[in-house]
């Protein structure tokens, strides 16, 4: 029960109460809060191993609901948040980042179960390994927008976008993922067809819902991606970016057409291509913010 509770805590806070989730022995790390670990484990047992109840207990606690803001005092006394002086903040796993973008755009399929899916992936990535599946055949329709947990995974040629976000290779059990931050991760969100298409759908939804009111459209996008309204200074930056992007796509219609052609789903023809392209890039920028990819 302690091991299970610790791994759930790690999912929520980024680091377990025991920082070595795969080693509770004498070579493992000492629990930062042993009484808390025991209390949660006992509660978990007494509830009949009710996972949902355990998660509800943790996320409704005052500890979890703290702000994630870092002050000089907290940095000095609790740099790694082992004392739980603030709420958790860490980069989400690659699967979560993809699912969050699809959910914000309205593209994420709610269907559960079924066979593995094959979403967008760079061409010819399987040819070098072969092994009876030398050709990657991409899905069409709903299969492109299922949750990432259903994605078909070839261990010798894993999905590039997942590997860049430190997903394990699945050759051995992984109890704790590494978290790195590299320019390649930003390039995935900016250029991967899955994210570009998600940005276009989010832009389409915002423009239609706002009925041409740009401030309302910006607010809608921010609430779906960041779960909060934009501050005044942020709105000014976003509007300036939108004007600049619109000017570019109005003078370069071929660029707008190329951008709107990304992805299998068709672009909405009721919105002028330069306008939709500009808003697509605006949404794409928001999806790439630290605040959008961090829990």
């Amino acid at each position: 029960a302690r091991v299970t509770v610790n791994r759930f805590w790690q999912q929520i806070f980024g680091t377990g109460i025991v920082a070595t989730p795969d080693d509770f022995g004498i070579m493992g790390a000492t629990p930062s809060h042993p009484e808390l670990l025991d209390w949660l484990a006992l509660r978990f047992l007494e509830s009949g191993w009710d996972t949902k109840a355990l998660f509800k207990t943790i996320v409704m606690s005052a500890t979890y609901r703290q702000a994630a803001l870092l002050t000089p005092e907290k940095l000095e006394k609790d740099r790694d948040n082992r004392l739980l002086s603030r709420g958790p903040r860490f980069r989400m796993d690659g699967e979560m980042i993809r699912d969050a973008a699809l959910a914000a755009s309205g593209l994420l399929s709610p269907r559960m179960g079924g066979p593995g899916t094959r979403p967008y992936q760079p061409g010819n990535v399987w040819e070098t390994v072969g092994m009876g599946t030398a050709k990657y055949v991409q899905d069409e329709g709903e299969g492109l927008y299922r949750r990432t947990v259903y994605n078909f995974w070839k261990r010798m040629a894993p999905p590039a976008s997942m590997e860049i976000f430190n997903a394990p290779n699945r050759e051995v059990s992984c109890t704790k993922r590494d978290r790195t931050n590299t320019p390649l991760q930003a390039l995935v969100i900016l250029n991967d067809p899955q994210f570009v298409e998600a940005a276009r759908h989010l832009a389409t939804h915002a423009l239609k819902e706002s009925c041409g009111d740009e401030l309302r459209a910006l607010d809608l996008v921010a609430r779906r991606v960041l779960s909060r309204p934009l501050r005044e200074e942020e709105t000014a930056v976003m509007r300036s970016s939108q004007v600049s992007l619109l000017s570019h796509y109005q003078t370069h219609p071929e660029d707008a057409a190329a951008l709107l052609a990304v992805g299998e789903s068709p672009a909405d023809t009721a919105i002028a291509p330069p306008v939709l392209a500009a808003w697509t890039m605006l949404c794409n920028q928001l999806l790439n913010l630290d605040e959008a990819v961090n829990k």
Side-chain angles (χ1 to χ4, degrees):
R2 288 188 183 93
V3 172
T4 304
V5 164
N6 190 64
R7 293 194 184 183
F8 289 154
W9 186 276
Q10 176 180 275
Q11 289 180 27
I12 296 172
F13 281 88
T15 303
I17 297 174
V18 176
T20 53
D22 55 344
D23 190 349
F24 269 53
I26 59 173
M27 299 299 290
T30 303
S32 59
H33 300 74
E35 296 88 352
L36 173 61
L37 181 61
D38 284 349
W39 183 82
L40 286 170
L42 186 60
R43 187 181 179 93
F44 189 41
L45 279 168
E46 292 175 342
S47 71
W49 303 83
D50 190 333
T51 301
K52 184 175 182 179
L54 176 66
F55 270 85
K56 187 175 181 179
T57 298
I58 295 174
V59 300
M60 292 184 69
S61 67
T63 302
Y64 178 79
R65 291 185 292 166
Q66 294 180 102
L69 298 176
L70 185 62
T71 64
E73 182 182 11
K74 290 179 180 178
L75 182 62
E76 179 185 356
K77 296 182 178 180
D78 188 21
R79 186 193 65 179
D80 298 323
N81 202 28
R82 297 299 290 148
L83 302 179
L84 305 175
S85 61
R86 56 189 181 276
R89 180 189 183 277
F90 54 91
R91 201 209 71 220
M92 295 188 292
D93 294 333
E95 295 93 331
M96 296 181 185
I97 293 173
R98 176 180 176 272
D99 289 357
L102 290 175
S105 70
L107 278 171
L108 186 66
S109 167
R111 188 162 71 90
M112 305 292 284
T117 58
R118 303 190 184 198
Y120 301 110
Q121 191 165 304
N124 305 322
V125 293
W126 284 9
E127 290 184 1
T128 56
V129 293
M131 303 290 289
T133 52
K135 185 173 177 58
Y136 183 83
V137 181
Q138 178 183 297
D139 275 344
E140 297 179 351
E142 187 185 30
L144 295 170
Y145 315 114
R146 300 284 308 282
R147 289 171 57 208
T148 312
V149 69
Y150 298 117
N151 286 5
F152 185 94
W153 191 290
K154 190 179 181 73
R155 284 180 298 181
M156 296 179 68
S161 59
M162 292 297 105
E163 195 170 27
I164 288 169
F165 281 105
N166 306 115
N169 59 17
R170 302 193 182 188
E171 292 182 5
V172 295
S173 175
C174 176
T175 59
K176 186 176 182 180
R177 297 188 183 190
D178 293 326
R179 282 195 176 89
T180 60
N181 293 294
T182 73
L184 287 175
Q185 294 164 354
L187 292 173
V188 167
I189 300 174
L190 287 171
N191 299 305
D192 189 290
Q194 197 87 80
F195 289 93
V196 175
E197 185 179 25
R200 172 163 56 80
H201 273 260
L202 177 57
T204 302
H205 174 75
L207 290 171
K208 285 191 166 185
E209 286 290 313
S210 64
C211 300
D213 185 333
E214 293 187 352
L215 285 177
R216 185 182 169 197
L218 276 176
D219 181 69
L220 191 151
V221 170
R223 289 178 185 273
R224 289 184 73 110
V225 176
L226 308 177
S227 300
R228 66 169 179 84
L230 292 173
R231 293 185 287 271
E232 187 175 340
E233 62 272 21
E234 293 172 328
T235 300
V237 171
M238 296 301 291
R239 294 203 70 180
S240 174
S241 181
Q242 189 269 335
V243 169
S244 175
L245 287 165
L246 180 60
S247 175
H248 170 80
Y249 286 118
Q250 284 175 334
T251 54
H252 298 82
E254 68 282 359
D255 289 351
L259 177 65
L260 300 181
V262 174
E264 293 294 312
S265 60
D268 194 316
T269 56
I271 304 172
V275 173
L276 183 54
W279 277 87
T280 296
M281 289 305 299
L282 203 66
C283 292
N284 190 248
Q285 291 172 13
L286 275 176
L287 289 171
N288 211 350
L289 290 177
D290 279 354
E291 196 172 339
V293 300
N294 279 266
K295 180 182 178 302

